Each structure stands twice: as structure tokens, then as C-alpha cells.
Amino acid sequence: SPVHSAFSDIRWNEIERSCGKLFDCDIKLLSNAEKNPIEYTLTDHPGTLALVKLLLNILSHVSGPSGPSPRVSRLSNETVLSVEKSKHLLYEDDTDGVVTHYVVYKLQEIILCLVDQQRNHESNSNVGTISSTFYQIRDNECALIDEWRPLMRVLHLGGNGDAFTQRGSAFCLAHILMAGCSSQQGVTRNGIVMHNDRRMKIGFSVVEEPLQALVSWIASQLQSSASTPLTLVIPTLRELMKLSEARIFFARFGGIGYLSKHLRNIHTEKSSNQTSLKHPRKGGKVQPSSPTVQQLYELCYCLWIMTFECNNSSMVRNNFARSQGAVHSLVDLVIIAPREKVIRVALSALRNLALTTVQDVDSVSPRGKIVNGSSFLSEMVGCGFLRVVENLKQRQWSDPDIVDDIVVLHALLIENYKDMSRWDMYETEVASGMLTWGILHKNDFFKANFKNFEGPNSDFATVKMLIKLVSSSVDDDVIAIAINDIGQFVQYYPNGRAISRRLGAKNLIMNLIEHDNPEVQLHALQCVSKMMVQNWQFLS
């Protein structure tokens, strides 16, 4: 917490107006928890339960109906004073904010200690678990204790910039709700609540609704393309990725697309002076990055964990196959990642996608194809990943897992490449958005394949994707190639001129005739000229 130094200044007996009525036993409980090591405090389970409920009640009072104080997170940066004087001013200036941070900090400390004890399988009967601390038996059913709700309220009313309170509350909620998920109940002593010698298992229905709300909040934070939300949600998301239930919710709320978007927005720096780099494949400039290498790794780690649901969930497969750029982002990451650990987890994710097996037929890509390992491999080929893997094979790697992934992926890509027609390669390249000059963009290819542009649904989906690339790509080479291909379609497809105009290509491309890039200018002029010609058969 940025106001950690002010915690010792809290005078519980003087702040009843903020915290509600505190009795002598409450003040003594708080005082003992501060004086003694947390491990000692947790040896008394009834005392732990009372402390947790007291802290949550205090959080309910100090956060209020409008959420926690927005000032406290900025005080430590605005106050340039001696340590002792700043401590005093921090507390006096925003008492509620300091108390809020203290409560969240203390709850995190308690939960982390309980988790550590569970992982070490400590069997001391006096030491509680998260289940026995945050759940109760009521009306012959397990239920969350009533006091948990302020943690959720803090997320949605988190104040302006109080990242510590939101991050800590989300982290606490994640561990509390994990105890009610069957995918974790067999891992630790969690999932069992005892009361008067009665043992009862926590049902998933108890945590389903709050877990959905937590995952939905994380997904909403990731919608922003800025890197700031990453520090807010990634610690909690990494914990929730252990739960199959949370992974399904995350996919349902569009999480795979949001992670892919953040990976696409992240580029690396070559040196500390943030010198621009040439992208190894695109030829464009790579902008200096603001997220850290660790954030890059954690984003990719979460995407890798999601790939383990592909064999079991058609919804997850469809989310990976949609035009959200998951494969594209992972391939790009392999190329530009600054550390081996990032390359390792990106390759592992791509390997899992390539090995996806499907028994049902309810998973269909946007282009009407069954989503399985073969479709993901085709997408990788369209991204130019085969050439990337061949280059990776020539490098020396210290991690044997990377070597194994490269060998497996290379064999799978070669086998898939043999089965792909030229149109398949072209279609996957366009869908990937990573166009590069080659034989797929020459006259002979379009002469032989112009009928394929109609698509299986006669909706000219490939032409629409080309137009979208012209309007949205930030790479001038991609824009120039897409304009070239639209011009080739206009030239060789009967009535291609009218179709391209109906889809909005003409006005879009005409505006690019005065583009800053000479190559884009040239292809835009050529394409518009073709749109003006009505009878190609009369031209030599």
C-alpha cells in the first residue's frame, strides 16, 4: 500500500464515526493482530473468524455506499515531507482511506497465510481454512458469511485511482470463491465446512454468481487498451486461471479476445533509450513498450492456460478461432519476445492449439470450417509461422521444452502445409491480417482463383476482410497489399467493380491516393483506375 507507513498511526478508539461502534474487545482484537505474527494469530480459529468479520465490517463502513476514498492512493506521491511528518499528515488528511488500505492489507495477509498452510497440508485442528473462515452452515446448507459483500462493492465503486484497494479486494475474493469450486476442492483441505462436529461440502451454486461477477469485472477492466488495468487484474486472473469454472466464464465474457488485444498492443524495446525497431517480418516500426516483460509473460501465461479448455469446450475453441487475433498475437510474440520464458509459454500455447482434437461438430469458425488443430495450424501458416519456426530451429536454446515445442510444431506445420491449397494459404493469410508480398498477390493467382472470392455463403467475406485491413491496419505494407488485391479482384471477377463499390472500397481507397507512403499512393491510384474501367476485354 502507498500509505503503509501510516498504518501505525491508526487510533481505533477515536474513529467510531467512520468504522461504526467498536467495543473494547474489538480494539483488543485489532491490537493483538498487529502486535503478534500472523501465523500466531491464526492458531486461534475462533479468534481468526472474529477478526475477519470485524475487518469486513470496518471495510463496509469506511468504503461507504459511494466506494472507498479516491484521495489516499495519491497522497504518498503528493506529500514530500519527512517520514514521520508525512505519516501523521497521511492519517489526518484521509483517515478513511488509510483505514481502508489497512483492512485490505490485513485481509490479504490472513488469506495468504491460510493458503500457505493449506498448500503445506498442515493438519493443526486449531488452524482454520479459507472454507471454515469465510463460509458457514446455515439452514442445513453451506453459505458465504454475510460480511463478504463489501469486497465486491469495492470493485465496482473503487474510487478514482485507488488501485491498491481494488487489486487487493479482487485477490481476496478470488481465493475465497476458489474454495467453492470443485476443480480446487480436491487440491487442498478447502471445500469442507465444519460446525458442531458436522462436515458439509460447499456446493458450486454458492459461489457461482459472485464468481461470474468477479470474472466479469476483470474482463471489463481488460477492455481498455491501456496497460494500467493489467497491474490491477493480472494477479487475480492468474489465480482464477487455476479454476476450470473461471476459465469458462472468462471465455464467455470475451476474455480471450481481450488478452489477445493486449498482446497485440505490446511491443519490445531494443535498448533502454527506446530506439525504434524494425519488425522482423512486417518491416514496420515497433513502438516502444510500456508494459513490463513480466506483464507480457503473465498475459501469455493466462492465454496458455485457456488453451487447455479447447478439447472440452466448443465455446473456447470458437473464441480462439474468431478474428480476435489469438494465434496472430502468439506468433508475433514468439518473434519479438525479449525473454526465453515468454517464448516458451507462447510456443506451448501454440502447440496446445495445434494439437486440439474435436469429437463434436458444433465448433465452426467464421469461415464455416470445423475448429480443430488443423484449422489452427492453417491460421499459423497464414501468419508465416512456418518460416518463423524454421528460423527458430537454427538457434541455440537453453530450455529443452522450447526445443521440443519447436520440433513438434515444425512437423505439424509441414504436414498441414502439404494439405493446403494455394487458396487456403491465401485465405488464412488474409484472415491473419499479416500480408506479405509473394506469389499469392500476383496476377496468375487471381486469374486462377477469382471465383473463390465469392465464399461458401456467397457473401464475399474475403473481400470484406481486405477492405477492413485497408481501413484498420497500422502497417503501410499490409495496406498496400490489401489495396493491390482488391484491384486484382475488381479486374478478374465479373462485376467485381460493382461489388467492391457496394462494399465501400472505392471511397475508402480514393482517400488514400494522397497517403504519405508512396507505395500506398501507387496501389491506391492503380486500384481506383481499375474501378473506373468497365470493359477489360477491350484493353490490351
Side-chain angles (χ1 to χ4, degrees), residues 107-121:
L107 286 170
Q108 279 185 278
E109 191 178 33
I110 291 170
I111 287 174
L112 287 173
C113 189
L114 290 173
V115 169
D116 187 56
Q117 290 172 342
Q118 288 166 190
R119 285 173 179 166
N120 294 331
H121 303 288

Side-chain angles (χ1 to χ4, degrees), residues 31-47:
S31 177
N32 289 338
E34 195 60 30
K35 290 177 182 177
N36 300 317
I38 189 64
E39 294 80 7
Y40 176 82
T41 301
L42 297 184
T43 56
D44 175 21
H45 180 57

Side-chain angles (χ1 to χ4, degrees), residues 69 71-72 75 78 88-96 98:
S69 166
R71 293 178 292 156
V72 68
L75 286 174
E78 295 173 353
H88 176 71
L89 287 182
L90 284 171
Y91 178 70
E92 295 297 333
D93 189 74
D94 193 4
T95 302
D96 287 358
V98 172

Side-chain angles (χ1 to χ4, degrees), residues 143-428:
L144 283 160
I145 59 175
D146 296 330
E147 293 83 356
W148 73 274
R149 297 185 185 279
L151 290 170
M152 186 67 75
R153 187 172 71 234
V154 163
L155 298 186
H156 296 284
L157 301 172
N160 182 19
D162 192 2
F164 175 82
T165 302
Q166 288 186 301
R167 182 171 59 247
S169 297
F171 188 81
C172 290
L173 264 178
H175 280 286
I176 293 169
L177 299 177
M178 285 168 70
C181 296
S182 57
S183 58
Q184 277 291 294
Q185 287 175 353
V187 178
T188 66
R189 291 190 296 144
N190 254 338
I192 302 296
V193 180
M194 295 191 65
H195 180 68
N196 296 332
D197 296 328
R198 294 176 60 196
R199 292 170 57 90
M200 187 171 289
K201 186 176 180 181
I202 304 169
F204 179 62
S205 59
V206 176
V207 300
E208 183 175 10
E209 186 176 336
L211 182 62
Q212 283 195 64
L214 176 59
V215 175
S216 175
W217 175 79
I218 290 173
S220 69
Q221 296 299 310
L222 289 173
Q223 286 185 49
S224 169
S225 58
S227 61
T228 305
L230 299 181
T231 58
L232 196 65
V233 301
I234 287 296
T236 301
L237 184 59
R238 282 200 62 173
E239 295 300 316
L240 289 177
M241 284 293 103
K242 300 172 184 176
L243 308 174
S244 177
E245 299 90 339
R247 294 196 291 267
I248 296 299
F249 287 151
F250 188 63
R252 185 178 300 166
F253 292 126
I256 293 172
Y258 299 142
L259 290 178
S260 302
K261 179 184 69 175
H262 278 281
L263 286 176
R264 288 198 301 273
N265 290 338
I266 293 176
H267 299 284
T268 55
E269 299 174 5
K270 187 173 184 178
S271 61
S272 58
N273 62 0
Q274 299 190 349
T275 303
S276 295
L277 299 178
K278 284 286 185 179
H279 190 291
R281 177 157 39 79
K282 292 180 181 178
K285 288 186 178 180
V286 175
Q287 299 300 321
S289 66
S290 52
T292 65
V293 172
Q294 184 61 25
Q295 287 175 334
L296 192 65
Y297 171 78
E298 289 171 339
L299 283 169
C300 194
Y301 169 85
C302 292
L303 207 54
W304 168 63
I305 292 292
M306 290 298 300
T307 63
F308 286 95
E309 295 295 329
C310 283
N311 288 342
N312 304 319
S313 172
S314 61
M315 178 187 63
V316 174
R317 291 195 297 273
N318 287 335
N319 271 269
F320 271 105
R322 287 175 185 152
S323 56
Q324 296 173 332
V327 171
H328 179 170
S329 300
L330 290 167
V331 169
D332 240 7
L333 199 57
V334 171
I335 297 171
I336 65 177
R339 298 287 188 275
E340 271 199 15
K341 69 176 186 178
V342 180
I343 296 175
R344 181 184 68 244
V345 73
L347 285 173
S348 295
L350 288 166
R351 177 176 177 172
N352 285 353
L353 292 175
L355 294 174
T356 298
T357 56
V358 182
Q359 277 72 45
D360 53 33
V361 293
D362 63 342
S363 185
V364 180
S365 73
R367 298 191 297 277
K369 298 180 179 178
I370 299 300
V371 177
N372 54 21
S374 178
S375 62
F376 288 126
L377 282 165
S378 296
E379 192 171 349
M380 293 177 206
V381 171
C383 293
F385 191 47
L386 180 55
R387 295 191 299 274
V388 174
V389 171
E390 288 173 345
N391 289 333
L392 293 177
K393 288 184 70 176
Q394 308 304 317
R395 293 172 57 180
Q396 297 295 320
W397 302 99
S398 60
D399 190 331
D401 288 340
I402 292 180
V403 177
D404 184 53
D405 286 339
I406 290 172
V407 171
V408 171
L409 281 167
H410 185 259
L412 291 170
L413 286 165
I414 288 291
E415 190 65 29
N416 185 268
Y417 184 79
K418 291 178 181 177
D419 296 335
M420 291 179 70
S421 67
R422 283 198 172 181
W423 174 256
D424 290 333
M425 296 178 194
Y426 177 78
E427 194 176 26
T428 54

